[in-house]
Amino acid sequence: PAGTGDIQFKVAGTETAAIFNDNSSVDLYFNSVKKFETGPAGTIVTGVSTADGFALGDNEKIMFGASEDFKIEHNSDENYIDSNSGHIYIRANVNDDEGDNIYLQPKAGENGIIVTHDGSVELYHDAQKTFETFANGIVVRSGGEGNDGEIQLYADQGDDNADLWRVKADTSGVFGIDSYATGSWVNKFQ
């Protein structure tokens, strides 16, 4: 309800279009339903908006498409990027060829994945590069100085000891293929 200093605009005599509240908010309506409101912290929008940019609070989401085809959502604990229609492309160098890379970092300054412009893809474990592609194949690294390098292969579900195999290059220069069938790693080929 409007106070004595408020100004109201109505359409067709009964449908509220706008209320300018004295020393308070400005409210805009669509079909007598409030859609836009000013407040001490900025604006409040109910429904779908078009903007140059904006910030959202906890438990809010941005939706794209008529059927929530794509959304970005945040709650106080987690963040989500969801696609219900089509692929998701993360791209650099879209309109030119500047040599930009794509970095996915699990925490600031710690790489998880680097996709290099016209080059390698690198995977990291706890900030140590453990896997990368190059023009002729792949490189698997130990993940740190003084560690053995290994590739583990799991048959079917990997739920039985006999399913587990590894290819290993140790720091002494020995290369081997090991089985875990006995419950511990046993070399089968060296």
Side-chain angles (χ1 to χ4, degrees):
T4 55
D6 299 345
I7 300 172
Q8 292 189 36
F9 289 97
K10 293 189 179 272
V11 178
T14 59
E15 186 176 314
T16 302
I19 299 175
F20 297 85
N21 297 296
D22 186 27
N23 293 318
S24 184
S25 67
V26 173
D27 306 331
L28 301 178
Y29 292 75
F30 177 81
N31 201 23
S32 289
V33 177
K34 189 190 305 184
K35 295 294 182 177
F36 184 88
E37 172 183 357
T38 62
T43 60
I44 300 168
V45 179
T46 303
V48 177
S49 298
T50 302
D52 290 336
F54 52 89
L56 301 175
D58 286 343
N59 303 311
E60 300 292 341
K61 59 186 168 186
I62 301 171
M63 296 180 292
F64 302 87
S67 301
E68 293 188 28
D69 297 331
F70 181 77
K71 69 180 175 181
I72 300 171
E73 186 174 356
H74 167 73
N75 62 43
S76 59
D77 298 316
E78 306 293 340
N79 303 292
Y80 301 93
I81 299 174
D82 296 329
S83 174
N84 292 313
S85 174
H87 303 291
I88 296 176
Y89 295 87
I90 300 173
R91 303 184 294 179
N93 305 304
V94 174
N95 296 321
D96 52 26
D97 196 5
E98 295 180 355
D100 297 326
N101 301 327
I102 296 173
Y103 298 86
L104 297 179
Q105 297 184 330
K107 64 181 182 182
E110 183 176 299
N111 292 321
I113 300 173
I114 299 175
V115 181
T116 307
H117 168 80
D118 288 341
S120 67
V121 174
E122 301 172 357
L123 303 179
Y124 291 76
H125 178 83
D126 197 17
Q128 296 290 320
K129 186 182 349 180
T130 58
F131 183 94
E132 69 180 298
T133 63
F134 71 105
N136 295 326
I138 64 168
V139 175
V140 177
R141 299 178 187 274
S142 67
E145 183 64 33
N147 295 328
D148 297 336
E150 64 182 61
I151 300 172
Q152 293 190 7
L153 306 170
Y154 292 7
D156 64 61
Q157 300 286 322
D159 54 353
D160 300 312
N161 288 345
D163 296 340
L164 310 179
W165 289 83
R166 73 177 175 189
V167 178
K168 179 179 171 185
D170 69 29
T171 56
S172 67
V174 175
F175 174 84
I177 298 176
D178 303 337
S179 169
Y180 200 76
T182 64
S184 61
W185 290 114
V186 176
N187 183 268
K188 295 295 184 179
F189 173 79
Q190 193 165 316

